[in-house]
Structure formats: structure tokens, C-alpha cells
């Protein structure tokens, strides 16, 4: 693991934040892109967006990440962006970030389109007043993944770790996005994800170093890594290594059962408090290295919003006790 000092920018100064003021956002993962009547989230317009965002506000959140699994901000026109911004503002919700999921700029088929979409999303995020745009290198779900109860239990597309040309393309395109975000006063964050160039602490840190811009950092979403049904690096070690390079943070947790005799590994989503990632230790590591970015709560399955709300309360309790 590298020990080089990071030059990654943060969204706040540590001295400005306490347990009550730390920006903790809700992701919009629990909201469907298409409802039971076949209507897209975009077609619902301001009334639908206000209803959904109102659920976040009622759950106690004052920051939100517009995750494009619900609403693709990069595809909205100026009037729609104004409506979305107004809906959040009227509810007392700040749009803290825009997250792009499975829009890899090095996808062998859709890479060029994803790059153009990412640029549109950066422009949209600036219009919405967001501080961060989160991107990743994970590709679209396969048909087997899409039909599975938990998509991470099926084989998925991956980056070839030995493909130097592909890695160089990732560096070039992500640097381009970082420059665009920086020109609009925002940060670009790279979501850690299995079997990509952001799939391990060492590879992810090296990618940020190769990009070489202070506005580009990591989103240390170790929940993406520990849910796999295979051996994985200890999450505490991964977080300790990457948090100095991080400028935004998706948090979630999983139960993990391992039977060494048979080699069976099973995982399932759970609250931050009950899962295998020790977030008390992680928050301590984050504060020790000066992390002062937005923290966004995610959860898959069940009533994801209620779990995220409980996670926010848990996080504020940790921030209060660990900072003493």
C-alpha cells in the first residue's frame, strides 16, 4: 500500500464540521427509474420528484445525491433542472452530488457515449449546485445480473488489469472529466468497484496519482468489495489506505458468512452498525487523515430509505463520540 501524502481536495475544512453539521446525504438508490405503471422518473416531472425528495426530507436528511439509477440529471433540459432544483430547495434539501452508475468511459461499446453523458452530467450538477460528481469504471449489468435477486452474485464484466492501453485511456478520460468539474468549481470522485482499475486500494490510489489533479479523488465504497462471494481484502485496511485519497464517500454495510471447510461465502445487506465493516474504526481513520467530504448513505433491498435514515443517526453518533 502506498504511503504517499495525498493532495486531494475536500468539500469542507475539518475545523468547520462537527457531528451535527457534517453533510450526510441520502442516495436515491431506493427510488425506481420506472414505476409499476411503466412511467419513467423523468416523465413524472416536478410533482413526482418533489414527492420522492419529500420522503428523504421526512426521513431526516437535508442533503441528497441524485443517483442516475433513479433520475439521469445529465439528460434533463434547463427547465427540468430548474424544477428539480426548486423541488429540493422547497423541501430544505441541498443537492450535494450527482452520481453516475455504470457509465464507464472505457466501456468497449458505450465508452464514447458515456464520456459525452458524463460531461452533460457535470454541467447539470453545476446547475443544480452540487459539489461533487461521482463516476466509476463498472460496466452495465449482464442479463444474468439483471435477473438475479442480488446482482453481485453473478459473473460481471471486468477491466483487464494487464491492459495498459485501457488503463491509459481511463486516466486520460477521467482527467478530462476532472478538468471539466474543476472549471465549474466541483470535485470529481471515483467510486471503488470490484474488478476494475478502482477495485483495490493499490490500483485505485495509483490511478488517482496517474490522473494527477487535486480535484480528482476516491469514493471509498468498500461495501462494493466485501459483498462478493469470494475472499476479499480486510475492509479496515482498505479504508485506512484510501481515505487520505478520498473526497466523497458512499457508505453501506453487509453481513458476511464464511465456511472455510466448504469455501462457501454468503453476504446480504444490513445496517452500517451491524455489518462486517467497522465504521467506528473507519470514522476514526477518516478523521485522523483529515477527511472532510460528504458522506452518502446507500442501501440495497427492503426499505432502503429507512435503513439509510438509521445509518445517518448512527453516523452522527459516531462523529460525536469519536471526535471527543
Amino acid at each position: 500500500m502506498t504511503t504517499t501524502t495525498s493532495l486531494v481536495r475536500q468539500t469542507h475544512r475539518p475545523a468547520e464540521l462537527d457531528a451535527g453539521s457534517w453533510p450526510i446525504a441520502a442516495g436515491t438508490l431506493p427510488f425506481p427509474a420506472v414505476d409499476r405503471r411503466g412511467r419513467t422518473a423523468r416523465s413524472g416531472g416536478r410533482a413526482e420528484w418533489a414527492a420522492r425528495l419529500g420522503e428523504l426530507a421526512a426521513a431526516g436528511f437535508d442533503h441528497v445525491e441524485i443517483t442516475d439509477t433513479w433520475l439521469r440529471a445529465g439528460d434533463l433540459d434547463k427547465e427540468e433542472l430548474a424544477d428539480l432544483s426548486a423541488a429540493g430547495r422547497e423541501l430544505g434539501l441541498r443537492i450535494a452530488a450527482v452520481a453516475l452508475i455504470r457509465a464507464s468511459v472505457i466501456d468497449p461499446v458505450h465508452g464514447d457515449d458515456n464520456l459525452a453523458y458524463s460531461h452533460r452530467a457535470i454541467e447539470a450538477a453545476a446547475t443544480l449546485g452540487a459539489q461533487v460528481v461521482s463516476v466509476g469504471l463498472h460496466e452495465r449489468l449482464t442479463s444474468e445480473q439483471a435477473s438475479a435477486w442480488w446482482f453481485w452474485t453473478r459473473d460481471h464484466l471486468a477491466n483487464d488489469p494487464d491492459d495498459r492501453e485501457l488503463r491509459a485511456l481511463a486516466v486520460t478520460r477521467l482527467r478530462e472529466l476532472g478538468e471539466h468539474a474543476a472549471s465549474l468549481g466541483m470535485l470529481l470522485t471515483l467510486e471503488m468497484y470490484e474488478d476494475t482499475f478502482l477495485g483495490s486500494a493499490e490500483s485505485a490510489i495509483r490511478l488517482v496519482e496517474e490522473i494527477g489533479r487535486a480535484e480528482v479523488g476516491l469514493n471509498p465504497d468498500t461495501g462494493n468489495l466485501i459483498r462478493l462471494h469470494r475472499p476479499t481484502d480486510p475492509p479496515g485496511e482498505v479504508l485506512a489506505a484510501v481515505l487520505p485519497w478520498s473526497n466523497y464517500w458512499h457508505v453501506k454495510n453487509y453481513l458476511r458468512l464464511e465456511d472455510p471447510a466448504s469455501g462457501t461465502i454468503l453476504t446480504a445487506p444490513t445496517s452500517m452498525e451491524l455489518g462486517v465493516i467497522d465504521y467506528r474504526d473507519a470514522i476514526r481513520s477518516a478523521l485522523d487523515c483529515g477527511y472532510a467530504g460528504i458522506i452518502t448513505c446507500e442501501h440495497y433491498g427492503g426499505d432502503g430509505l429507512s435503513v439509510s435514515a438509521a445509518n445517518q443517526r448512527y453516523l452522527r453518533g459516531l462523529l460525536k463520540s469519536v471526535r471527543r
Side-chain angles (χ1 to χ4, degrees), residues 176-199:
E176 176 184 323
L177 295 180
E179 291 170 352
H180 188 180
S183 73
L184 297 171
M186 294 184 298
L187 304 179
L188 186 77
T189 192
L190 312 179
E191 182 179 358
M192 293 188 71
Y193 202 90
E194 73 269 13
D195 298 327
T196 71
F197 297 130
L198 294 160

Side-chain angles (χ1 to χ4, degrees), residues 7-9 178-179 181-182 186-189 213-217 247:
L7 299 177
V8 170
R9 278 179 44 200
E179 291 170 352
M186 294 184 298
L187 304 179
L188 186 77
T189 192
R213 290 196 62 93
E215 298 83 6
V216 180
N247 56 7

Side-chain angles (χ1 to χ4, degrees), residues 23-54:
I24 300 177
T28 57
L29 275 179
F31 301 153
V34 180
D35 67 18
R36 290 190 179 94
R37 291 177 287 179
R39 298 186 312 168
T40 66
R42 182 179 184 180
S43 67
R46 180 168 174 173
E48 171 66 16
W49 306 338
R52 291 296 189 180
L53 295 178

Side-chain angles (χ1 to χ4, degrees), residues 284-308:
R284 186 177 289 111
S285 294
L287 297 176
D288 285 347
C289 74
Y291 178 80
I294 298 161
I295 302 173
T296 293
C297 298
E298 294 187 322
H299 185 78
Y300 284 99
D303 183 357
L305 177 52
S306 290
V307 177
S308 291

Side-chain angles (χ1 to χ4, degrees), residues 42 73 75-82:
R42 182 179 184 180
D75 290 342
L76 302 183
D77 61 31
K78 291 182 178 180
E79 290 185 2
E80 289 171 317
L81 289 171

